[in-house]
Amino acid sequence: MSETVELACQSAGAGPALVMLHGLYGSGNNWRGIARQFEAGHRTLLPDLRNHGRSPSHPDMDYRRMAADVLALLDREGIDRASLVGHSMGGKVAMALTLTAPQRVERLMVVDIAPMAYDHSAEHGRIIRAMRELDPGMLRRREDVDSALAESIPHAAVRQFLLTNLQRQGEQWRWRIPLDILADQLPVIQGWPTGLGTFRDAPVEFIHGGVSGYVDDRGRAAIAKHFPDAMIMSYAGVGHWVHAEDPKRFSTDLHTFLSDNNNP
């Protein structure tokens, strides 16, 4: 196994550890609004996964290795066990960590993803290609970068999310995520490792958007295979970004989940 990456991480609050993992193109900041609501009773950790945010780049994005990065973070922070919340790619990292190091997991919540391979290569390939073909250093303002992406990426909300990866370097803009690595590793990111077993040692809950499509019948079968005691909850009318589209309900459900003393 390759070496771990030392993840950049925001930490706040005090109490039992709550680790929140972001999705593709994101960063720990994606969870900031939700995490603030839990800092009174939890020590919240919002890491940037490898090749994202302020964390280092690495050419390998295998989920076992990304899970090892988070375990190394727990070790550095002196945390024996943590509750995990992960969205999309971060949900796969959280599941891989749970299945490879179950003794480190207090409970697990997975947001709009299942333990299976997906094929969204057309969508993500188009996004990464558009970002790679654009040289933000040639443009003066963030609005100019947004306009330049609009033809290839018509959804304004998606562009605004991607623009969180735009950084000022001197007098020029640059992308802070390694687009070449993400393009190369896209099949790995969309995939799911073989050989991972079953977990039923702590509470597990899956929350998914009712109009997202990421947790369909195949996804439910995959969840049952690896997490047979998991609860599955659907938010009607909500898409892939469950916690951003319905943050009030999500925060309430997460609070209930973390406070529930019942065993699976």
Side-chain angles (χ1 to χ4, degrees):
M1 183 176 288
S2 62
E3 72 280 4
T4 59
V5 166
E6 185 169 339
L7 302 179
C9 183
Q10 303 174 59
S11 179
L18 172 62
V19 181
M20 311 184 83
L21 304 176
H22 64 82
L24 183 61
Y25 316 120
S27 70
N29 279 334
N30 296 154
W31 285 110
R32 197 74 196 94
I34 300 290
R36 287 192 188 100
Q37 303 173 52
F38 293 87
E39 291 170 2
H42 291 83
R43 180 183 176 189
T44 63
L45 289 90
L46 312 180
D48 298 339
L49 298 172
R50 60 171 65 189
N51 298 314
H52 289 77
R54 296 173 293 115
S55 287
S57 299
H58 194 284
D60 188 349
M61 295 189 70
D62 177 87
Y63 282 109
R64 285 187 177 88
R65 295 180 173 96
M66 294 176 73
D69 293 343
V70 180
L71 285 171
L73 171 66
L74 296 181
D75 290 342
R76 289 197 306 274
E77 297 292 333
I79 297 170
D80 291 330
R81 289 169 63 88
S83 295
L84 306 179
V85 178
H87 171 248
S88 199
M89 180 187 75
K92 285 189 171 182
V93 175
M95 289 186 285
L97 190 159
T98 301
L99 293 168
T100 55
Q103 73 281 4
R104 306 296 297 272
V105 177
E106 191 69 36
R107 56 189 64 215
L108 167 69
M109 177 180 280
V110 181
V111 185
D112 210 60
I113 202 75
M116 58 180 271
Y118 292 83
D119 184 6
H120 295 146
S121 53
E123 174 190 358
H124 290 295
R126 173 175 51 82
I127 288 173
I128 294 173
R129 183 167 56 253
M131 295 174 74
R132 292 173 78 184
E133 291 176 350
L134 174 65
D135 182 1
M138 301 298 292
L139 301 172
R140 295 175 59 90
R141 303 176 305 158
R142 293 178 66 90
E143 293 81 359
D144 297 331
V145 180
D146 181 53
S147 297
L149 290 173
E151 182 175 352
S152 299
I153 307 171
H155 296 292
V158 174
R159 294 197 308 275
Q160 290 305 306
F161 174 57
L162 296 173
L163 288 175
T164 62
N165 291 293
L166 199 61
Q167 271 192 338
R168 199 76 173 167
Q169 190 172 53
E171 296 298 316
Q172 294 186 321
W173 295 106
R174 70 174 184 89
W175 297 118
R176 70 177 178 179
I177 52 176
L179 295 170
D180 290 347
I181 292 177
L182 295 185
D184 176 72
Q185 291 292 290
L186 190 55
V188 179
I189 296 168
Q190 295 188 114
W192 176 249
T194 60
L196 297 182
T198 300
F199 178 84
R200 58 198 326 162
D201 299 333
V204 178
E205 186 168 306
F206 284 75
I207 292 179
H208 70 95
V211 297
S212 166
Y214 273 80
V215 181
D216 56 11
D217 289 343
R218 288 179 60 240
R220 287 174 176 266
I223 291 169
K225 174 183 175 182
H226 291 289
F227 303 97
D229 298 323
M231 294 176 53
I232 303 177
M233 185 183 305
S234 177
Y235 285 18
V238 173
H240 184 54
W241 284 86
V242 176
H243 53 294
E245 295 180 45
D246 197 346
K248 184 176 181 180
R249 180 179 176 184
F250 180 83
S251 296
T252 298
D253 288 339
L254 177 56
H255 184 272
T256 298
F257 180 65
L258 294 173
S259 304
D260 187 358
N261 293 321
N262 293 328
N263 291 319

